[in-house]
Amino acid sequence: MLVLVAPGQGAQAPGFLTPWLDLPGVRGALEAWSDAAKVDLIRYGTEGDADEIRDTAVAQPLLVAAGLASAYTLFDDPAELPRRVGAIAGHSVGELTAAALAGVLPDEDTVRLVRTRGLAMAEAAAITETGMSALLGGDPEVTIPHLEKLGLTPANVNGAGQIVAAGTLEELAALEADKPEGVRRVVALKVAGAFHTRHMAPAVDALAQAAAELSPADPVIPYVSNKDGRTVATGAEVVARLVGQVANPVRWDLCMETFKELGVTALLEVCPGGTLTGLAKRALPGVKTLALKTPDDLEAARELIAEHASA
């Protein structure tokens, strides 16, 4: 059983879209999505430097567009995707990539919504100086109460021993000075704010207004939600969760538990892949993994699909 996953913010790198533009249909799709989102995705994905594409308002539509473009190149006919993929999920903004691929929202509506999401989260992040830090090592049962004691939120509980804390810069400095027992290192992440925490509450309102204008369809692929790792059957519930998730923790650990329950045998991460396959290698032993980084990975990805996808 094949699971398709989409990465979240931080997976992008300067120039990562360049090799994909040579594939049939990719440039045209990116131009159309650029028009829909009112942001030049091709320029940012090929010429943008690290600071430019770190901007939340740019990074989020860029990641979703890259995920969609790379996923569609996997199949001669995009209609094959829902017939071959056993379940789908995305990490944070990757949930919007997953929603589009699952048929919940048209691509153009998705990139417009993610542009609104990115702008709103950037504005919310500007209100207070906040950030995020990854904790290496430790036991979640010890780490999470320790974070809460410091006023921090376990914003990403990623499984495989990885937790990302989020809060004010003062709270994160206190964490550096007072690490939870068993945590070896605290690594500050290059993000613009405390995503998936109460600090993003203003973004929820903006996203809710934009989402109210959408007409979501029910997913045609089992859609696994960051909220609690459960599959969601209706498009309306998928969109409601996408809105609320902006200010609530990502439970990727629970998503991977659901993959196991569904009988996953292979996990394929769309471009710019690597982060989620790394987690899966540690948390899902025995499951084959593959990350789409460049078009050079397509042949191996198609072989994985042929071996593990549904008939």
Side-chain angles (χ1 to χ4, degrees):
M1 196 275 275
L2 175 70
V3 172
L4 193 69
V5 297
Q9 202 162 333
Q12 71 278 10
F16 79 104
L17 273 185
T18 300
W20 294 93
L21 295 177
D22 294 331
L23 301 185
V26 170
R27 183 178 290 273
L30 289 169
E31 288 172 346
W33 298 335
S34 294
D35 289 342
K38 295 182 171 56
V39 59
D40 190 342
L41 298 168
I42 293 177
R43 189 192 79 75
Y44 282 115
T46 59
E47 302 173 13
D49 62 27
D51 287 334
E52 284 184 296
I53 65 172
R54 189 180 299 129
D55 179 352
T56 303
V58 170
Q60 294 194 9
L62 188 59
L63 284 163
V64 170
L68 294 177
S70 62
Y72 293 141
T73 63
L74 289 168
F75 303 92
D76 293 331
D77 179 0
E80 281 291 299
L81 196 150
R83 294 198 286 266
R84 308 303 303 278
V85 174
I88 195 163
H91 190 286
S92 187
V93 71
E95 284 207 289
L96 281 94
T97 313
L101 294 174
V104 175
L105 296 171
D107 295 343
E108 288 77 9
D109 284 355
T110 302
V111 295
R112 277 191 287 267
L113 185 63
V114 74
R115 174 65 167 169
T116 298
R117 183 186 192 269
L119 287 166
M121 291 176 73
E123 290 174 5
I127 295 171
T128 306
E129 288 193 330
T130 57
M132 305 177 79
S133 294
L135 284 72
L136 306 183
D139 181 342
E141 293 187 5
V142 174
T143 297
I144 290 174
H146 188 92
L147 295 178
E148 292 170 346
K149 181 187 73 175
L150 296 174
L152 291 160
T153 299
N156 300 163
V157 183
N158 287 331
Q162 186 186 103
I163 292 177
V164 176
T168 67
L169 297 187
E170 291 80 5
E171 290 164 347
L172 291 169
L175 174 63
E176 286 270 11
D178 182 18
K179 294 190 289 289
E181 182 181 351
V183 170
R184 301 186 304 278
R185 291 178 60 204
V186 176
V187 180
L189 301 182
K190 295 178 180 179
V191 296
F195 304 142
H196 300 291
T197 72
R198 65 186 185 279
H199 296 285
M200 291 294 110
V204 173
D205 295 335
L207 201 57
Q209 291 180 26
E213 300 176 8
L214 302 174
S215 299
D218 294 342
V220 295
I221 304 170
Y223 178 96
V224 182
S225 168
N226 283 182
K227 180 178 180 179
D228 50 17
R230 295 185 180 183
T231 55
V232 181
T234 70
E237 177 65 12
V238 169
V239 171
R241 285 175 174 236
L242 289 173
V243 171
Q245 200 60 41
V246 169
N248 286 284
V250 171
R251 293 302 306 267
W252 191 251
D253 59 331
L254 300 181
C255 291
M256 290 195 292
E257 286 297 320
T258 295
F259 300 161
K260 276 196 274 189
E261 291 169 7
L262 292 172
V264 60
T265 59
L267 181 143
L268 177 58
E269 184 178 3
V270 298
C271 178
T275 303
L276 301 180
T277 49
L279 292 170
K281 286 174 182 177
R282 298 192 293 276
L284 300 172
V287 172
K288 290 193 175 180
T289 62
L290 192 145
L292 281 179
K293 299 177 186 289
T294 74
D296 291 342
D297 299 313
L298 286 170
E299 183 177 353
R302 290 174 182 138
E303 290 174 359
L304 188 77
I305 291 167
E307 183 179 355
H308 292 272
S310 302

